[in-house]
């Protein structure tokens, strides 16, 4: 599932257990984008938070990992805290990113049961400001 709002472009894969995007991952993604937006004025461009949590969208407990920065937010559902982040990123890149390195992913001991990503929209160039004209009385 893909959509765009005024600040981000979102992508969610189907959960392997629900057969549709995970509503808990969608809510968490939305809250992380809001939190990072609020933190923007008091953090540097390289600010990042990451952690593990439990998502509850169904009767099955789901451990998830998230990483969030001003450049990208990702949630990996159904992943243990020990899973290799580099391999998870490579897997998500293959799924979400056009033009990603197409190397085979053969060393991933755990595959996420679902993925979520939010990318900030780049500001669109607007019309050039007009110079202020002086008013003579």
């Amino acid at each position: 599932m893909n959509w765009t709002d005024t600040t981000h472009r979102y992508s969610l894969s189907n959960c392997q257990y629900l057969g549709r995007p995970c509503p808990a991952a969608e809510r968490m993604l939305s809250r992380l984008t809001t939190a990072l937006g609020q933190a923007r004025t008091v953090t540097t461009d390289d600010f990042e938070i990451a952690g593990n949590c439990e998502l509850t969208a169904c009767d099955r407990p789901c451990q998830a990992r998230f990483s969030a920065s001003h450049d990208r937010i990702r949630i990996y559902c159904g992943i243990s805290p020990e899973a290799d982040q580099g391999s998870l990123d490579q897997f998500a890149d293959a799924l979400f990113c056009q033009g990603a390195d197409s190397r085979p992913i053969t060393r991933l001991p755990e595959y996420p049961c679902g993925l979520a990503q939010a990318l900030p929209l780049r500001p669109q160039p607007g019309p050039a400001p007009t110079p202020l004209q002086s008013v003579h009385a």
Side-chain angles (χ1 to χ4, degrees):
M1 175 169 78
N2 298 301
W3 77 97
T4 302
D5 67 11
T6 58
T7 61
H8 287 80
R9 184 175 61 240
Y10 300 89
S11 300
L12 271 81
S13 72
N14 282 343
C15 170
Q16 293 178 15
Y17 300 100
L18 293 175
R20 59 185 169 84
C22 174
E26 184 178 347
R27 286 189 302 272
M28 184 170 180
L29 192 61
S30 175
R31 289 188 175 110
L32 284 169
T33 59
T34 299
L36 279 172
Q38 292 171 344
R40 180 55 127 163
T41 60
V42 294
T43 56
T44 60
D45 287 342
D46 62 349
F47 175 76
E48 183 175 354
I49 57 173
N52 297 292
C53 63
E54 185 172 311
L55 299 177
T56 54
C58 58
D59 59 355
R60 182 184 171 278
C62 181
Q63 291 294 314
R65 178 181 296 174
F66 65 91
S67 62
S69 69
H70 293 300
D71 294 327
R72 179 181 72 200
I73 300 169
R74 281 189 175 159
I75 301 170
Y76 307 88
C77 304
I79 291 296
S80 71
E82 297 81 27
D84 177 62
Q85 186 66 46
S87 296
L88 290 172
D89 284 337
Q90 183 184 1
F91 182 76
D93 287 346
L95 180 67
F96 290 135
C97 300
Q98 295 176 352
D101 188 0
S102 60
R103 295 178 297 176
I105 302 170
T106 57
R107 292 180 279 168
L108 193 59
E110 285 184 73
Y111 288 92
C113 64
L115 291 168
Q117 174 176 275
L119 298 173
L121 297 176
R122 300 293 175 222
Q124 297 297 320
T130 58
L132 296 176
Q133 297 176 348
S134 61
V135 177
H136 296 288

